[in-house]
Amino acid sequence: MSLEIGFYGIGALIVLLILRLPVALALIAVSFGGMAAMLGWKPAFGILSSTPYSFVASWTLSAVPMFLLMGFVAYHAGLTTGLFEAAKAVLRKVPGALAISSIFACSGFAAVCGSSLACAAAMGRIAIPEMVRAGYRPSFACGSIAAGGTIGALIPPSILMIVYGVFAETSVTKVFIGGISLGILTAIAYSIVVLLLCWLRPDIVPRRPVDADEISPAEAVLKIWPVLVLIALVFGGLFSGVFTATEAGAVGAFGALAISALTGRLDLPTLKASLIETLTTSASLFVIAIGAAMFTRFLGVSGLSGFISSTIGGADIGYLQLMLIVVLIYLALGMFMEPFGALLVTLPVLLPVFEAQQIDLIWFGVLVVKLLEIGMITPPVGLNVFVIRSVASQHASVVEIFRGVTPFLLVDVVVVAVAILWPGLILFAPSLMN
Amino acid sequence: MTAFARLTNRAMNLTAAIAALGALVMMAHICAEVVLRTFFDAPIPATVEIVSRYYMVILAFLPIAWLERRRGMVSVEVIEFLLSPRVIRGWDVAVALVSALIYAGLAYTTWLLALKNYASGTFVMALEVAVPVWQTYFLPPLGFGLAVLVTLARAMTILLGGEAEDVHEALER
């Protein structure tokens, strides 16, 4: 009976989501209704009253608003504006230099910012007009930044990874470190796409190198010292053990504010914009997470989590088949849902399965972030594409940007396959920590 | 109605401002703890407890109503492009009313929990320091309660023929 209620619960959740009830409230309503149906009103009210406070009052989760603040301050104060210039100066001899520079500039931005939307927005404003002027096809210029932005959530700090770590009860630091290799692999794969197109379709990506009258590489790198200092502060302290991943967020936010103030880039509007975005993002995320915590309890009590893991265990589904199913689930959800919703709706079902199948949860934490980020650039709801459309509306329509993203989506299939077939790629660096 | 809307607006902006201040104080507190612990071997007692029981609770619950007003709650957009604007407006009213109901349930149950913690004077022990935390249990009902007001106000303004956001903008002017 409880099992049936579990299935009804998942069905009801899907219906409520399609009916546009906010994700957080849909999760809360279904969990409350399900618990009441299985155990009666009193336990259901108990969970409704206790979960919000007990879930949020968490030391580990405090890293979320702090890393958000660090990223938004770095972005609004313009600490990261020199990244594109620096990458360009270093890479200017390479064919397709502008596109490849913007992809690596995104990777650099990713190291001070945990969200791919901010990453895409920041780079889009700077790099797209320049690429279009240099003769890139506008749809491709926009697509390359929308795709490059997804690296933002793979290279630490990453808000998605912190939230995953809290739910999976794994080390956030290890997931962070695992993310670095997949982030770099993605950047290299995207650069190969640019090189290939440069060679095959010079009408889309011009072969002509960047004009020679630019600043020297050394000068350009000197200009990005604020970002380099911030990265050194956060990662130096984190990896040397002076502070934990949780504390690194606060130190990073303070560092970003201090550097902005010392260089005269911090004013009241900047601080206000950064705080507003931090509050909006963290509060909306926390409510969904509260809902997901209730939903996890509900699925656990209904026995559905156990049922699904034992069914998959009994059905003798191999590793590759299981992974194929997981990839398809996230690609389908990614078409319609934003990443936090998709992550928090699925983890309650998937984590018990992975635990039963003895799949490494650190590895999966990195892979799932990659899959969710692919969802940021797939139609019809691709948030990175929408944000590029809003910062570069004169250059390309939404449909054109989706077209520009397509080559990067194709190479993402290869990146995901590599991550699945060769888990050591992600797990090597975290294993050094033991 | 306008006086009421103005009051809820002010309450929401105030709660969001307090939460923003909370974020900055939390940052300063954690950084001070790291510096004092690392260089002076003098950690600030009960940092973990204060961060999780005070700052985090403030950051999570105070801005909820403000977030609702900004339409910052995440939802899924699958059927939007299939519907006419008229249907979407009606739908928005239904969603706002159901949201209000769920927020009301949350506000009521967390309020009962807050009263219970108030009665028992709940505190947590951090080594030898007793940190009282019962006060913070009143923040969830406050946040959810304000969210009830915002969602009800939205349903009402759409029914009265305006866009919810327009009304708020008009009030702010």
Side-chain angles (χ1 to χ4, degrees):
Chain A
M1 185 57 203
S2 289
L3 204 57
E4 270 171 36
I5 295 176
F7 277 113
Y8 285 136
I10 290 188
L13 178 69
I14 293 171
V15 171
L16 289 178
L17 289 181
I18 291 175
L19 293 180
R20 291 203 311 148
L21 194 67
V23 177
L25 300 180
L27 283 164
I28 292 171
V30 168
S31 315
F32 175 75
M35 289 301 242
M38 287 184 304
L39 306 173
W41 292 108
K42 214 171 166 203
F45 273 115
I47 282 167
L48 195 62
S49 69
S50 64
T51 314
Y53 186 97
S54 62
F55 180 82
V56 161
S58 149
W59 168 245
T60 315
L61 267 188
S62 72
V64 171
M66 293 293 94
F67 275 122
L68 284 171
L69 184 60
M70 167 180 164
F72 287 130
V73 169
Y75 168 53
H76 286 292
L79 294 186
T80 45
T81 42
L83 279 172
F84 180 59
E85 290 297 318
K88 217 169 63 180
V90 174
L91 294 166
R92 70 171 160 221
K93 300 262 164 58
V94 182
L98 286 179
I100 296 179
S101 301
S102 63
I103 288 164
F104 278 95
C106 280
S107 313
F109 195 95
V112 293
C113 172
S115 124
S116 71
L117 277 178
C119 208
M123 279 311 136
R125 281 204 182 91
I126 308 164
I128 291 171
E130 202 168 329
M131 287 163 81
V132 173
R133 266 202 305 280
Y136 282 74
R137 183 172 287 185
S139 63
F140 179 81
C142 294
S144 64
I145 310 281
T150 65
I151 299 169
L154 277 169
I155 291 185
S158 164
I159 309 298
L160 277 169
M161 287 179 184
I162 300 171
V163 174
Y164 173 86
V166 169
F167 268 84
E169 294 173 352
T170 56
S171 152
V172 174
T173 312
K174 284 187 177 175
V175 183
F176 271 5
I177 293 175
I180 298 175
S181 44
L182 196 60
I184 293 174
L185 179 70
T186 304
I188 293 172
Y190 286 175
S191 304
I192 292 173
V193 169
V194 176
L195 286 173
L196 277 177
L197 278 174
C198 206
W199 179 48
L200 296 171
R201 296 287 303 269
D203 58 317
I204 296 179
V205 184
R207 286 188 193 148
R208 194 166 57 92
V210 177
D211 298 334
D213 60 310
E214 311 282 334
I215 46 173
S216 76
E219 253 178 283
V221 173
L222 267 183
K223 275 196 172 168
I224 55 166
W225 72 266
V227 182
L228 298 179
V229 168
L230 200 54
I231 294 174
L233 175 73
V234 172
F235 289 97
L238 186 58
F239 296 145
S240 65
V242 172
F243 41 76
T244 62
T246 310
E247 292 162 337
V251 175
F254 182 78
L257 282 171
I259 294 172
S260 310
L262 289 175
T263 52
R265 291 183 242 218
L266 187 69
D267 50 12
L268 205 59
T270 305
L271 183 65
K272 204 178 158 193
S274 311
L275 282 170
I276 285 181
E277 289 197 50
T278 303
L279 277 192
T280 320
T281 316
S282 63
S284 63
L285 173 56
F286 287 153
V287 208
I288 301 180
I290 290 168
M294 289 188 197
F295 196 60
T296 307
R297 291 269 290 277
F298 160 62
L299 288 187
V301 173
S302 75
L304 190 65
S305 321
F307 174 76
I308 294 177
S309 9
S310 62
T311 310
I312 288 178
D316 210 25
I317 289 183
Y319 168 74
L320 286 181
Q321 285 154 304
L322 179 63
M323 281 306 138
L324 188 66
I325 296 171
V326 168
V327 168
L328 291 177
I329 289 175
Y330 280 106
L331 289 185
L333 289 176
M335 290 169 69
F336 299 102
M337 291 185 79
E338 61 80 58
F340 290 109
L343 178 72
L344 291 172
V345 166
T346 46
L347 282 187
V349 182
L350 290 180
L351 283 177
V353 175
F354 289 149
E355 270 165 12
Q357 300 280 311
Q358 291 177 335
I359 285 170
D360 192 295
L361 290 184
I362 289 167
W363 171 80
F364 182 65
V366 178
L367 180 74
V368 77
V369 170
K370 174 71 193 165
L371 293 173
L372 291 167
E373 287 301 315
I374 292 175
M376 299 288 277
I377 50 173
T378 50
V381 180
L383 296 179
N384 271 17
V385 169
F386 295 166
V387 81
I388 290 296
R389 163 76 187 160
S390 73
V391 299
S393 51
Q394 69 275 37
H395 295 301
S397 70
V398 167
V399 175
E400 284 167 338
I401 304 174
F402 275 125
R403 205 174 297 144
V405 157
T406 315
F408 299 99
L409 277 175
L410 292 177
V411 80
D412 268 338
V413 175
V414 180
V415 172
V416 169
V418 168
I420 289 175
L421 294 173
W422 188 29
L425 172 83
I426 291 170
L427 286 173
F428 173 69
S431 71
L432 295 179
M433 287 178 69
N434 294 332
Chain B
M1 178 64 196
T2 44
F4 171 73
R6 200 172 295 136
L7 195 70
T8 53
N9 254 2
R10 226 170 257 164
M12 277 177 295
N13 289 340
L14 183 70
T15 50
I18 295 173
L21 196 66
L24 289 177
V25 178
M26 172 161 101
M27 176 193 80
H29 191 147
I30 296 176
C31 290
E33 211 276 335
V34 169
V35 170
L36 288 172
R37 184 187 66 207
T38 314
F39 298 108
F40 302 97
D41 199 22
I44 302 174
T47 297
V48 171
E49 287 74 15
I50 292 171
V51 165
S52 50
R53 298 295 196 123
Y54 278 83
Y55 304 132
M56 282 299 284
V57 178
I58 288 172
L59 269 179
F61 295 110
L62 280 188
I64 286 179
W66 172 80
L67 188 71
E68 261 293 348
R69 200 193 65 186
R70 293 169 58 96
R71 297 290 193 108
M73 299 295 281
V74 175
S75 52
V76 184
E77 294 139 31
V78 190
I79 52 168
E80 202 135 309
F81 57 94
L82 297 174
L83 304 175
S84 71
R86 225 188 131 84
V87 178
I88 288 184
R89 280 164 68 91
W91 212 259
D92 281 345
V93 174
V95 168
L97 289 176
V98 173
S99 304
L101 185 72
I102 298 169
Y103 282 129
L106 284 163
Y108 177 66
T109 52
T110 51
W111 169 251
L112 294 184
L113 186 71
L115 289 181
K116 214 155 96 190
N117 282 286
Y118 170 68
S120 61
T122 305
F123 61 86
V124 287
M125 290 301 293
L127 296 175
E128 279 112 66
V129 196
V131 185
V133 294
W134 58 264
Q135 302 91 330
T136 57
Y137 280 89
F138 285 95
L139 293 170
L142 176 65
F144 292 130
L146 283 171
V148 176
L149 297 182
V150 175
T151 41
L152 283 182
R154 181 189 303 153
M156 220 126 93
T157 40
I158 302 175
L159 279 178
L160 292 176
E163 287 293 329
E165 284 87 340
D166 292 349
V167 170
H168 283 295
E169 276 168 21
L171 280 174
E172 276 164 10
R173 256 185 258 125

